[in-house]
Amino acid sequence: MAQKVKVRNLYKSFGSLSVLEGLDLDVEEGEVVCMIGPSGSGKSTFLRCLNRLEEATSGEIEINGQRISQKEIDINKVRENIGMVFQQFNLFPHLTVTENIMMAPIDLKKMTRAQAKKRALELLDRVGLRDKADAFPKQLSGGQQQRVAIARALAMNPAIMLFDEPTSALDPEMVGEVLQVMRELAEGGMTMIVVTHEMGFARDVADRVIFMSDGHIVEEGPPKEIILHPKEQRTKDFLSCVL
Amino acid sequence: MDFYGVFLDVWPMLLQGLGMTLKVSAIALFIAFFLGLASCLMGMSKVFLLKWISKAYVWVIRGTPFIVQLFIVKYGFPQLMKIWIPEFNIGITTAAIATLALNAGAYLSEIFRGGIQAVDVGQMEAARSLGLPRGHAMRKVILPQAIRICIPSLGNQFIITLKDSSLAQVIGLNELFYQGKIYVGYSFKSFETYILVGCVYLLVIAALSYIMNRIERGLDCGAKG
């Protein structure tokens, strides 16, 4: 199996505020990694460093065999291989659902209009929203918007998907539908890194759970071990609050 | 009071003047739109020189009265150019259009900046995360949303420019107000004529506001309410 993500000694600080303090991570192809931990522990920042929405202060990041921490690299090419799903969905409100999904493949000349449309409709089928193809984002519920956002990220056929608290902005009754799409994606063999507070999802779907606190990886391992039998006191404290 | 008589007498002149007003304003605003957009994008650039040019432009235009700008363009600038090109001259219409465009461009630059900054940062991040280069993301994702946000302010600026075009009568542009003035010059019907001139502006601006409103609603993207 190919290694999809390799991070070594990653540091990130905003001014004098140190957010990540020397993180290492390896993710294999098809692996699903869930990152849990208290707010402000650096999970989202870590995820955003992986596609350079945040510039790491120092350290090595390799995605899909490309060292993205190098300044000279064409980050746009790298990002085509990294799908990202945001907490606030960030769908483009001036475009229909289909146009949202078609935009990047057409703009980056990966597909013709017709191919992109076909692909968009396939993806909408996959997330169960074929009937919303011509709707605008504002006409959808939060859960539907997030499913479209997942389809949009998949349109570029990424090698890896990053999820930044994908269900945190949703009403409780809509969390399930989004997690279901992610579960199917994981079963389909997608390499995923998921920052989440959904312990049920982490327990059932993740191959590995990472507990982060104060910019460090405190503990990592199979979900049952980390969630049900944590060794570290900080992990225990956190889990006793959320479970 | 003889509005009807004055109206019958003056309307061909006013209509002709209105034609000039609309032509000058429309061309000026068309140029100003792109000038403003360019200035706005330059102002947000990381290149110091571009940023500085944009800031200086907005600073100078906002800091000086329109009429002074008009005189500089019509009389000051040609005098300077005559040093090198003795026959250099700028026509009245050209000077009016150029000054109105320069003036509105600076205000539009600020309006666009406000619109772009009002678009959620998540939009840029989402576009970039898909692999779109910054320029593409700006054009396909940010600007369409920013312009929609700007429409009320854009309409406002269109109205201001249309009204400011009346100031160009001082350099001899035969626009709407100028025609009224000429008519008063030989008929002495100040009251009726200027009221009529005002009414024409009012009607045109009412129509413009209506159109801007329609455009705003047309770009609603499925928003309810």
Side-chain angles (χ1 to χ4, degrees):
Chain A
M1 271 207 212
Q3 188 168 30
K4 287 286 163 186
V5 179
K6 182 173 155 189
V7 178
R8 289 290 175 273
N9 218 13
L10 182 68
Y11 282 83
K12 170 70 185 174
S13 48
F14 296 101
S16 61
L17 178 72
S18 175
V19 180
L20 301 176
E21 299 181 328
L23 262 65
D24 298 322
L25 178 71
D26 293 281
V27 181
E28 298 291 320
E29 187 173 357
E31 205 178 359
V32 177
V33 175
C34 281
M35 307 189 73
I36 60 172
S39 299
S41 58
K43 311 179 298 284
S44 290
T45 304
F46 175 72
L47 208 61
R48 292 160 59 84
C49 284
L50 295 184
N51 64 354
R52 256 173 68 182
L53 282 182
E54 302 288 356
E55 294 284 347
T57 306
S58 69
E60 293 289 324
I61 302 172
E62 222 177 272
I63 304 276
N64 221 11
Q66 280 182 296
R67 271 184 49 191
I68 73 149
S69 39
Q70 283 173 315
K71 289 273 178 247
E72 311 79 51
I73 203 158
D74 181 359
I75 190 63
N76 296 319
K77 281 270 166 251
V78 178
R79 283 177 179 151
E80 290 175 11
N81 286 316
I82 311 172
M84 187 158 195
V85 175
F86 299 86
Q87 185 176 354
Q88 299 295 339
F89 332 133
N90 295 347
L91 290 181
F92 307 134
H94 59 300
L95 302 176
T96 65
V97 163
T98 315
E99 287 166 347
N100 260 278
I101 303 172
M102 289 163 65
M103 192 191 69
I106 294 174
D107 186 73
L108 300 168
K109 304 198 168 23
K110 293 277 155 192
M111 299 176 198
T112 64
R113 236 193 129 69
Q115 287 171 326
K117 175 119 191 175
K118 187 164 166 281
R119 173 89 178 127
L121 293 176
E122 279 169 19
L123 287 166
L124 283 175
D125 258 337
R126 224 163 116 185
V127 300
L129 288 170
R130 177 69 177 253
D131 56 324
K132 299 289 184 193
D134 296 319
F136 281 100
K138 278 180 198 159
Q139 295 163 328
L140 305 182
S141 72
Q144 290 170 332
Q145 287 193 48
Q146 193 61 299
R147 281 144 70 195
V148 173
I150 294 172
R152 179 177 68 179
L154 289 172
M156 294 296 291
N157 295 317
I160 163 173
M161 286 280 283
L162 310 176
F163 293 84
D164 189 4
E165 302 198 28
T167 57
S168 297
L170 296 174
D171 291 336
E173 72 269 26
M174 292 168 185
V175 169
E177 63 192 65
V178 171
L179 292 181
Q180 184 53 35
V181 168
M182 290 168 62
R183 200 179 295 253
E184 284 163 15
L185 204 55
E187 283 160 7
M190 177 60 79
T191 311
M192 295 163 59
I193 303 180
V194 185
V195 170
T196 187
H197 294 294
E198 296 294 332
M199 293 305 146
F201 178 82
R203 190 190 56 220
D204 299 345
V205 182
D207 297 304
R208 183 155 40 119
V209 171
I210 293 176
F211 175 73
M212 262 185 83
S213 179
D214 301 321
H216 297 276
I217 291 177
V218 175
E219 181 164 18
E220 63 180 300
K224 294 215 165 54
E225 204 172 289
I226 301 297
I227 295 175
L228 301 178
H229 310 289
K231 291 188 195 73
E232 300 287 329
Q233 190 53 44
R234 269 190 292 179
T235 318
K236 287 177 190 166
D237 291 345
F238 173 73
L239 288 168
S240 68
C241 293
V242 297
L243 285 180
Chain B
M1 298 301 124
D2 181 17
F3 274 105
Y4 190 61
V6 171
F7 175 74
L8 286 181
D9 216 18
V10 79
W11 77 263
M13 290 173 73
L14 293 191
L15 207 61
Q16 193 195 347
L18 177 63
M20 180 57 95
T21 293
L22 291 179
K23 183 179 103 178
V24 166
S25 306
I27 298 174
L29 283 171
F30 183 78
I31 299 169
F33 188 89
F34 293 101
L35 196 61
L37 202 56
S39 164
C40 163
L41 294 175
M42 279 164 70
M44 298 173 85
S45 153
K46 288 196 179 81
V47 183
F48 179 77
L49 182 68
L50 295 181
K51 202 186 183 81
W52 188 85
I53 291 172
S54 162
K55 299 265 179 243
Y57 165 58
V58 172
W59 183 69
V60 168
I61 296 290
R62 286 209 304 191
T64 53
F66 175 73
I67 201 142
V68 174
Q69 296 161 11
L70 190 64
F71 274 60
I72 290 172
V73 170
K74 177 69 184 97
Y75 305 114
F77 179 64
Q79 193 178 44
L80 175 75
M81 292 303 289
K82 277 193 173 86
I83 299 172
W84 302 286
I85 313 166
E87 67 276 21
F88 189 88
N89 187 31
I90 295 182
I92 292 170
T93 313
T94 312
I97 291 173
T99 316
L100 282 168
L102 274 173
N103 185 275
Y107 289 97
L108 289 179
S109 173
E110 288 295 281
I111 290 171
F112 288 137
R113 190 168 63 96
I116 288 171
Q117 284 171 351
V119 176
D120 186 72
V121 288
Q123 292 289 312
M124 180 55 99
E125 290 184 347
R128 297 304 305 277
S129 78
L130 290 163
L132 265 68
R134 193 178 178 78
H136 292 222
M138 200 56 155
R139 219 170 49 240
K140 299 243 164 106
V141 176
I142 307 299
L143 284 181
Q145 296 180 58
I147 296 220
R148 195 199 167 288
I149 295 170
C150 288
I151 282 182
S153 315
L154 279 180
N156 218 12
Q157 185 57 46
F158 289 1
I159 289 169
I160 290 170
T161 299
L162 189 98
K163 291 196 293 188
D164 274 358
S165 71
S166 66
L167 284 166
Q169 60 88 15
V170 298
I171 60 166
L173 184 75
N174 56 348
E175 45 71 63
L176 179 55
F177 173 50
Y178 181 88
Q179 297 284 7
K181 235 179 70 171
I182 297 288
Y183 179 75
V184 171
Y186 61 79
S187 70
F188 304 108
K189 303 273 188 194
S190 301
F191 180 70
E192 293 92 334
T193 310
Y194 290 135
I195 292 284
L196 282 171
V197 166
C199 286
V200 176
Y201 278 111
L202 204 54
L203 282 174
V204 170
I205 286 164
L208 188 64
S209 310
Y210 177 76
I211 294 168
M212 293 306 285
N213 259 325
R214 290 300 295 263
I215 293 175
E216 194 181 348
R217 259 185 284 163
L219 295 176
D220 234 7
C221 306
K224 287 159 202 152

